[in-house]
């Protein structure tokens, strides 16, 4: 942290947490929960407004719970009430980007459970002799599709059953609305909501230290970065105006370092008191129209997944603004810089791409001088994803906003969010070369459904077999499941019942097309099956017909290989061979068809 930390620590007798720099009262409550102190609640729900620092706080607390990180912290110098005992690390299944079902799968794998449903998982956990400790971060970022409201499903299907299981000690980071819903389902003696915006948990001294640490990173030629007294005065003014919000303070510091003229602690009107004011004050200080800055950032505020490819930014900015934004973008990179961060994603050839595209990119948390608010890169492990490309092997830069709170502020300031998403969706469709999905940008293939869902147009999109085959099935399935079933056409319903096979098998696009071809024939949609044969996929089979078989609810197809390695003879004298790629399916069978049909 800053040089002033030593004096503060000496006055209190304890050193601050080197990553958080404060939050003593919250850390003490979390430590009591961790050690199961008499009177401590079994369930803690951590919440707060966007930018309040809850993710950063949770990361710092998990450092104290992880034996690896504990060795790097000055535990003997810290307040002993904030340091939990040296216990095995808790289970920490992050909800970021995951569906409720995927989160349950992580829990089942971690605890080596045989169950898959939440009620069965909780039954097995309840039967254990020793309590289990589970920490669930990033619930506000759950799901591969923002408009599908996966956080609510995670609370309903994962957190509520876990919280009701008396052998589970639960800590969850949840948005404010679902936090109240989760707490209301439990007796008051078993649960506690820690809302970081509540005065009970205020930490003004820690916020000042946060500001000082951020200013220390600025160029030494600036007086408020190099001179301790000037830095302290400005830090106190920034913290006072930010009123507890770490993100507002961080954005203010980054703006000041970029354009230091005309700002001082004596004039608080030059300092922002909210995320929106941070955007608008920065634009004015840079000589720009605040609305222009918001329109520049709008495509990133609507971006899905890991971020928006740079090459799509201009077209989507034009679409949102309804005018040519090329000059604004060309001249405005310094204007937008404090609100952006890059996210790298690797792209691979589609022939080898699988639906499991997530790349584990472990990012060790920064040192004491890292001044990012919750979100950003202040997480011990952060996951960046990108889709496939026909080029193969090429890396590209994805851009995203520094924090989801900035995206919320920009979306809230638009007069017609649904209209903006409609124009974005149309621009993405126009960017598909000759409507050939094999040549489309991976972002468009994987996330067009999410944009059209938010625009209220997804059912109209769900008639293209090529998109069904090329799109990431996890994101596509999540988007379709968010639409009422009675609004879906027959092709979408066929995709929806086939989606579990597509996601479980992690099949590449060609094999996804083969599964869908059979499913379309099974459901009497032969023209859609034929369309897949015309799209250039080397399909391993052609489904000729399908008949219903009474009592048959699932079919598993495979090939038997004799000991000599030759294909086994079929009853008609021909040989039964496995299609290319079929051996990768193992014992995974397609789900039941709506009419319980078998294909041949």
């Amino acid at each position: 942290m800053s040089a002033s930390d030593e004096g503060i620590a000496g006055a209190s007798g304890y050193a601050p947490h080197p990553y958080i720099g404060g939050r003593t009262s919250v850390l003490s409550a979390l430590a009591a929960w961790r050690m199961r102190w008499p009177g401590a609640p079994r369930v803690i729900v951590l919440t707060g407004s966007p930018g309040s620092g809850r993710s950063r706080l949770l990361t710092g607390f998990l450092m104290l719970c992880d034996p690896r990180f504990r060795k790097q912290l000055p535990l003997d110098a810290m307040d002993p009430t904030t340091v939990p005992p040296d216990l095995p690390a808790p289970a920490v299944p992050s909800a970021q980007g995951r569906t409720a079902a995927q989160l349950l799968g992580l829990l089942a794998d971690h605890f080596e459970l045989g169950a898959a449903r939440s009620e069965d998982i909780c039954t097995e956990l309840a039967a254990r002799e020793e309590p289990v400790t589970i920490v669930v971060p990033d619930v506000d970022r759950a799901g591969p599709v923002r408009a599908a409201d996966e956080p609510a499903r995670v609370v309903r299907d994962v957190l509520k059953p876990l919280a009701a299981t008396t052998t589970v000690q639960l800590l969850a980071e949840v948005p404010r609305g679902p936090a109240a819903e989760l707490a209301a389902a439990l007796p008051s003696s078993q649960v506690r909501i820690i809302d970081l915006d509540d005065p009970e948990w205020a930490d003004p001294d820690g916020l000042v230290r946060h500001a000082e640490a951020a200013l220390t990173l600025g160029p030494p030629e600036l007086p408020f970065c190099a001179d301790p007294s000037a830095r302290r005065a400005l830090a106190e003014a920034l913290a006072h105006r930010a009123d507890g919000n770490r993100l507002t303070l961080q954005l203010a510091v980054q703006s000041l370092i970029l354009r230091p003229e005309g700002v001082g602690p004596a004039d608080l009107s030059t300092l922002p008191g909210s995320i929106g004011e941070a955007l608008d004050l920065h634009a004015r200080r840079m000589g720009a129209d605040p609305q222009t800055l918001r329109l520049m950032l709008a495509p990133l505020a609507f971006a899905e997944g890991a971020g928006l490819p740079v090459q799509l930014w201009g077209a989507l900015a034009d679409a949102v603004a309804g005018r040519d934004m090329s000059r604004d973008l060309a001249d405005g990179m310094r204007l937008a810089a404090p609100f952006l961060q890059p996210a790298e994603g690797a792209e691979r050839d589609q022939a080898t791409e699988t639906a499991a595209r997530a790349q584990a990119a472990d990012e060790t948390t920064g040192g004491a001088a890292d001044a990012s608010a919750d979100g950003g890169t202040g997480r011990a492990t952060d996951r960046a994803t990108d889709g496939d490309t026909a080029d193969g092997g090429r890396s590209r830069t994805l851009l995203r906003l520094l924090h989801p709170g900035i995206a919320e502020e920009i979306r809230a300031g638009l007069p017609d969010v649904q209209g903006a998403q409609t124009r974005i969706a149309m621009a993405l469709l126009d960017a598909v070369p000759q409507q050939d999905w094999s040549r489309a940008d991976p972002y468009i293939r994987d996330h067009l459904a999410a944009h059209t869902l938010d625009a209220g147009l997804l059912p109209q999109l769900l008639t293209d077999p090529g998109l069904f085959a090329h799109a990431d099935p996890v994101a596509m399935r999540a988007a379709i499941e968010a639409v009422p079933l009675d609004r879906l056409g027959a092709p979408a319903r066929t995709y929806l019942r086939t989606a579990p096979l597509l996601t479980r098998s992690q099949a590449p696009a060609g094999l996804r097309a083969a599964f869908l071809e059979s499913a379309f024939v099974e459901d009497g949609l032969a023209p859609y099956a034929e369309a897949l044969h015309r799209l250039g996929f080397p399909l391993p089979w052609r489904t000729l017909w399908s008949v219903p078989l009474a009592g048959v609810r699932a079919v598993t197809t495979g090939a038997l290989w004799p000991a000599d390695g030759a294909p086994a003879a079929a009853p008609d004298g021909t040989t039964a061979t496995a299609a290319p790629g079929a051996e990768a399916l193992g014992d995974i069978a397609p789900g039941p068809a709506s009419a319980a049909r078998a294909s041949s």
Side-chain angles (χ1 to χ4, degrees), residues 3 10 18 25 91 146 267 283 313 365 367 473 479 519 545:
S25 60
R146 180 176 52 80
D267 186 1
W313 188 7
T365 50
W545 45 265

Side-chain angles (χ1 to χ4, degrees), residues 38-65:
R42 181 175 56 82
V43 176
I44 287 185
V45 184
L46 182 65
T47 190
S49 60
S52 59
R54 60 179 187 261
S55 291
R56 186 178 184 86
L57 168 64
L58 190 56
T59 298
F61 175 68
L62 289 174
M63 290 178 176
L64 295 168
C65 297

Side-chain angles (χ1 to χ4, degrees), residues 59-112:
T59 298
F61 175 68
L62 289 174
M63 290 178 176
L64 295 168
C65 297
D66 190 317
R68 297 170 301 171
F69 278 104
R70 286 174 65 93
K71 298 177 181 177
Q72 306 173 33
L73 299 175
L75 301 183
D76 293 339
M78 295 172 60
D79 186 337
T81 67
T82 67
V83 181
D86 190 7
L87 299 170
V92 189
S94 174
Q96 182 172 354
R98 294 189 172 97
T99 64
Q102 289 174 321
L103 199 58
L104 287 170
L106 283 180
L107 284 169
D109 290 343
H110 178 84
F111 291 109
E112 299 180 345

Side-chain angles (χ1 to χ4, degrees), residues 399-418:
L399 282 179
R400 60 187 176 191
L401 293 177
L402 185 68
H403 190 278
I406 303 173
E408 289 185 26
E409 168 64 29
I410 291 172
R411 291 194 300 266
L414 292 173
D416 182 8
V417 171
Q418 190 174 50

Side-chain angles (χ1 to χ4, degrees), residues 552-564:
V552 175
R553 298 192 57 81
V555 177
T556 301
T557 303
L560 300 177
W561 297 89
D564 59 5

Side-chain angles (χ1 to χ4, degrees), residues 263-361:
V263 176
D267 186 1
L268 294 182
S269 66
T270 63
L271 305 177
S274 67
I275 298 170
E277 286 186 9
L279 284 162
D280 298 342
L281 283 175
H282 174 73
R284 294 190 185 99
R285 292 177 55 251
M286 296 292 289
D289 178 15
Q291 186 62 15
T292 298
L293 173 60
R294 288 171 177 262
L295 290 174
M296 287 173 57
L297 299 178
L300 300 169
F302 287 106
E304 299 282 341
L308 186 71
V310 173
Q311 61 267 32
L312 293 176
W313 188 7
L316 299 192
D318 294 349
V320 174
R323 63 178 177 85
D324 184 358
M325 293 284 291
S326 58
R327 175 56 59 187
D328 298 294
L329 289 172
D331 297 340
M333 292 313 298
R334 280 175 58 84
L335 174 64
F339 311 99
L340 303 178
Q341 66 178 356
E344 292 296 332
E347 298 175 342
R348 286 153 290 189
D349 190 275
Q350 185 170 332
T352 60
E353 180 64 20
T354 69
R357 296 187 176 109
Q359 304 172 70

